[in-house]
Amino acid sequence: MLAGCSDEEQTGTTKPYAQAEAKPGADVKVTAARANWDTGYFEAEIVSALLRELGYEVTPPAEREMSPDVFYPAVASRLVDFWANGWFPLHEAKLKTALPTRGIVGDLAGPVGRIVPDGALLGYLVDKPAADQHSIVSMSDLKRPEVAALFDRDANGKADLIGCSRGWVCAKFIDEQIEAQGWLVEQVQGDYATLFDDIVARVKQGQPVLYATWTPSYMVAELVPGKDVTWLQAPSPAGVDTKVAGVEGCASDPCETGFVASSIRIVANNEFLKQNPAAGRLLELVKINPRDIFDQNLKMRRGENTAADIERHAIQWIEANKAEVDRWLGEARSATTSN
């Protein structure tokens, strides 16, 4: 199908669908947001591009980059309409937040579909030399002062764990685990991408590291579990099973990561979904192979990290998955006619 010349001239990319297609979102403005972790930019850009194929005027997600603490009240208040970066069940607590005069977040907005069904892992890692030399297989080993001392950068008797940034749900969860389990650990927070650069440098210098990370992401390509680092076991929260089989580079199999395996989900305002059935149906259908996210993250890590680069990655992904995307768009257009 022919791409519109004006789009190609403006962006340098070829749009994968003809402008003659039905546009149920014509003249409807949509405010997109994205998470303030770079491994989620790709999903946000793909979903925004697909909504534009339905005619919606979608703001660039980069204009509203948010932590979960900011996003969930914003989407409930319809300051934004959606993002593609919900982690569930990790973010369930955010849906229970009460907003003054507005009510409960989960009554006003919620998750839609599953971009990555049960394919997102969070957990703790150490450099492999330290794990092997000191028999570190579990976060519970951080109760041993001599093990905690290996990762104690400020000599206060506690291991420094490079953790999640402030405003991320995992940051609060990690602090709760540290307190509940009695680990001799303190969470170090800041810009995660910058802190991860320091982790990589320390590993290359043969220095010990202790950190939390997730997948799909470039982090597990930069420091490969089983080769450079080791996933540690961590006790599951009460009443929850966090064991995952076949986690490469884990100290044991199945690997008890301490975090429930998550689905990456779009989260949208309920009123927006009600008013826009075509958009709602599309958001239910979008799925991205974790390997595709992993590969795109590596491109960003290796320098293709501008807004134009990420937009190009999204368009290329849409073109490469055209048959499936056409089916999603067709179902979305049908949802408009049936409502």
Side-chain angles (χ1 to χ4, degrees):
M1 306 181 75
L2 299 177
C5 293
S6 58
D7 285 333
E8 187 173 352
E9 291 168 358
Q10 290 173 13
T11 68
T13 59
T14 301
K15 295 294 181 181
Y17 304 105
Q19 296 301 309
E21 291 284 6
K23 302 289 184 181
D27 300 323
V28 178
K29 294 183 179 180
V30 179
T31 305
R34 76 179 185 189
N36 63 340
W37 51 87
D38 55 1
T39 60
Y41 293 175
F42 186 47
E43 299 96 288
E45 200 62 51
I46 286 174
V47 174
S48 296
L50 292 177
L51 285 170
R52 293 186 189 107
E53 291 299 333
L54 293 176
Y56 292 98
E57 298 177 23
V58 186
T59 63
E63 292 182 359
R64 292 166 179 82
E65 186 167 303
M66 302 176 171
S67 71
D69 280 358
V70 175
F71 168 75
Y72 283 94
V75 73
S77 303
R78 207 170 176 184
L79 298 175
V80 298
D81 292 309
F82 80 96
W83 79 352
N85 303 122
W87 277 57
F88 288 88
L90 188 65
H91 288 182
E92 287 286 355
K94 291 299 176 186
L95 299 180
K96 300 174 184 177
T97 303
L99 301 178
T101 74
R102 290 188 177 273
I104 305 299
V105 169
D107 292 336
L108 302 166
V112 186
R114 282 174 169 77
I115 290 181
V116 178
D118 301 322
L121 297 181
L122 271 161
Y124 305 101
L125 300 98
V126 296
D127 59 293
K128 195 170 188 299
D132 292 345
Q133 293 168 22
H134 300 277
S135 301
I136 306 171
V137 298
S138 169
M139 285 296 291
S140 295
D141 290 322
L142 274 299
K143 294 179 181 180
R144 295 155 46 194
E146 69 275 17
V147 173
L150 296 171
F151 311 99
D152 185 3
R153 302 188 190 184
D154 55 7
N156 68 350
K158 293 183 178 181
D160 291 298
L161 167 73
I162 305 304
C164 295
S165 299
R166 289 181 177 85
W168 296 4
V169 179
C170 52
K172 181 174 182 290
F173 186 83
I174 289 170
D175 282 338
E176 291 173 349
Q177 281 196 317
I178 290 171
E179 182 176 359
Q181 299 300 326
W183 301 330
L184 297 176
V185 171
E186 60 185 356
Q187 183 174 196
V188 178
Q189 295 172 292
D191 176 71
Y192 188 89
T194 301
L195 291 172
F196 185 74
D197 287 340
D198 181 64
I199 291 169
V200 173
R202 290 175 69 87
V203 169
K204 290 181 178 179
Q205 294 164 9
Q207 299 180 40
V209 296
L210 172 67
Y211 63 105
T213 201
W214 63 94
T215 183
S217 71
Y218 60 78
M219 284 82 77
V220 293
E222 191 84 16
L223 296 176
V224 180
K227 176 186 175 185
D228 304 309
V229 293
T230 300
W231 290 97
L232 296 181
Q233 301 275 82
S236 299
V240 178
D241 183 4
T242 65
K243 294 185 179 70
V244 180
V247 178
E248 187 172 354
C250 187
S252 300
D253 189 19
C255 189
E256 188 173 18
T257 66
F259 295 84
V260 178
S262 292
S263 295
I264 299 176
R265 307 187 68 181
I266 297 164
V267 180
N269 179 275
N270 291 346
E271 191 64 25
F272 166 74
L273 295 174
K274 181 179 178 181
Q275 293 171 356
N276 296 279
R281 183 58 181 151
L282 177 67
L283 301 187
E284 290 175 349
L285 294 170
V286 177
K287 286 184 173 55
I288 306 173
N289 189 306
R291 182 73 211 186
D292 294 340
I293 298 172
F294 177 89
D295 290 343
Q296 187 274 342
N297 281 188
L298 275 180
K299 290 178 182 178
M300 287 197 302
R301 183 70 176 172
R302 292 168 179 168
E304 295 182 32
N305 53 18
T306 67
D309 287 333
I310 298 165
E311 179 183 358
R312 185 181 72 255
H313 297 159
I315 295 301
Q316 288 172 343
W317 184 91
I318 291 171
E319 291 174 336
N321 294 273
K322 185 178 184 304
E324 186 74 355
V325 168
D326 278 348
R327 183 179 67 80
W328 299 339
L329 294 173
E331 288 196 29
R333 293 182 178 104
S334 295
T336 302
T337 60
S338 62
N339 280 274

